[in-house]
Amino acid sequence: MIKVLILGGTTEAGELAQALAKTDVPALYSYAGRVKTPKPQPIPVRTGGFGGAEGLGEFLRAEGFTHLVDATHPFAEQMSRNAVLASDQSGVPLLALTRSPWQPVEGDRWQEVANVEAAVQALAGPRQRVMLAIGRQHLEAFASQPQHHYLLRLVDEPTGALPLPNCTVTVDRGPFTTKGDLALLKRHGIERVVSKNAGGEGAAAKLLAARELGLPVLMIKRPTLATRPEVHSVDQVLRWLGHEVALGV
Ligand code: 3Y8
Ligand code: NAP
């Protein structure tokens, strides 16, 4: 009997959990524990790190998982690297469920940068009103460009002091809407948006809103992840599972 571990935290991971909840395939949804109240899932959930690749490999073996689906975010670099290592070590097959990167279209004013550090450097220059829509984990890097007024969008109320002297916080979790992000950008007089190239629908609203307002976007390219089999749809994951089930693996 197969048993699936989903490394979650994205819209697609939630869609896979919904699909598996309709089958008799035992599955467990894993959150890192990054936010206070993660979204409930229709299958059992576990929260917290595994203790590196070794910990994950051990967890897969000890709990008798037969399949590992990495449905984490394209920027969850370390988790995806650990999933490849743990799969190799444990022999449990791995499949990544991910989404294609966004591509700029007519009317987009993107400046693509390699990573967060390059985005910080690109912000050198006179004071602007900048929306940082990249979450909480990399905010301190922007302290070296304190001249700007930053609009920060965070999932949870910040606990400690923020590393930016001149900022406004909006606490909200996606998926976001174009209407909502248009209103947000206008309300705060935003002149520039900083975004990760997450792909998918959940975070695209700010790009559509920026396009409509003709605002420049600093687009942070995805990290190059370890090589692994990748699919872009829940159906392809179900086929991967069904196929192996059909073979009675
Ligand atoms: C904890 C679990 C679902 C999943 C929803 C997606 C869409 C909405 C858009 C912006 C961009 C950002 C951020 C974002 C989005 C979805 C998805 C996505 C971006 C939750 C969630 C967890 C996290 C972790 C959180 C990070 C942060 C990143 C905010 C749940 C809500 C900026 C990424 O405070 C922190 O420490 C937050 C950390 C990692 C990036 C960062 O570096 O700060 N996501 N986000 C997961 C865990 O514990 O394992 O409650 O659902 C999930 C979602 N966030 O099922 O509907 O699929 O991408 N998440 C980015 O894309 O740039 C916000 O503001 O415009
Ligand atoms: P990361 O930097 O790649 O991972 C750091 C460590 O966090 C991992 O080594 C692992 O700890 C733990 N971890 C990460 N994801 C986990 C999961 N789903 N289940 C159990 N442990 C997990 O990860 P991240 O970028 O902080 O992302 C954390 C979570 O937020 C993931 O679920 C991801 O899908 C979600 N998310 C991230 C982003 C983003 O921009 N990075 C955006 C949206 C959603 P151990 O080494 O101890 O096992």
Side-chain angles (χ1 to χ4, degrees):
M1 183 65 178
I2 71 170
K3 186 178 175 186
V4 188
L5 176 62
I6 304 172
L7 302 176
T10 58
T11 308
E12 290 72 19
E15 288 164 356
L16 176 58
Q18 294 287 345
L20 283 175
K22 297 190 186 94
T23 73
D24 61 354
V25 173
L28 178 65
Y29 190 104
S30 178
Y31 274 124
R34 278 267 182 286
V35 301
K36 234 193 249 71
T37 48
K39 195 173 171 178
Q41 296 296 337
I43 59 174
V45 170
R46 68 166 295 285
T47 301
F50 297 97
E54 298 68 32
L56 176 55
E58 184 43 37
F59 184 77
L60 289 167
R61 200 196 53 70
E63 301 294 323
F65 285 101
T66 59
H67 292 75
L68 175 61
V69 178
D70 178 357
T72 59
H73 189 272
F75 279 75
E77 212 174 338
Q78 190 179 323
M79 185 70 258
S80 293
R81 186 169 50 249
N82 289 357
V84 169
L85 292 172
S87 168
D88 291 347
Q89 279 159 10
S90 63
V92 173
L94 165 70
L95 183 65
L97 170 60
T98 184
R99 57 260 181 137
S100 311
W102 295 309
Q103 301 295 340
V105 298
E106 187 60 37
D108 280 338
R109 293 179 57 195
W110 285 15
Q111 179 185 349
E112 296 195 74
V113 287
N115 50 39
V116 169
E117 292 63 43
V120 172
Q121 272 137 41
L123 283 175
R127 174 189 166 82
Q128 283 188 297
R129 299 182 65 81
V130 180
M131 178 179 183
L132 282 190
I134 56 166
R136 172 179 62 176
Q137 297 184 86
H138 305 284
L139 292 183
E140 59 287 340
F142 293 85
S144 62
Q145 302 286 1
Q147 70 275 27
H148 300 303
H149 180 87
Y150 291 103
L151 171 65
L152 310 180
R153 179 144 68 185
L154 305 177
V155 178
D156 292 330
E157 278 298 337
T159 40
L162 287 162
L164 300 168
N166 205 333
C167 64
T168 307
V169 174
T170 169
V171 178
D172 199 355
R173 71 169 59 204
F176 301 104
T177 64
T178 308
K179 189 162 166 278
D181 277 5
L182 257 178
L184 184 73
L185 293 176
K186 283 184 196 162
R187 188 163 58 251
H188 292 274
I190 298 301
E191 299 166 278
R192 205 164 181 195
V193 175
V194 181
S195 169
K196 289 176 177 172
N197 196 328
E201 288 81 45
K206 59 188 176 280
L207 305 180
L208 301 172
R211 184 185 308 152
E212 194 161 321
L213 298 173
L215 299 183
V217 172
L218 262 180
M219 182 57 76
I220 301 170
K221 286 185 182 157
R222 297 178 170 189
T224 322
L225 297 181
T227 315
R228 75 264 166 97
E230 283 186 10
V231 294
H232 294 309
S233 78
V234 166
D235 284 350
Q236 287 172 289
V237 179
L238 297 181
R239 267 205 295 283
W240 179 67
L241 293 173
H243 171 72
E244 305 226 341
V245 169
L247 293 178
V249 164

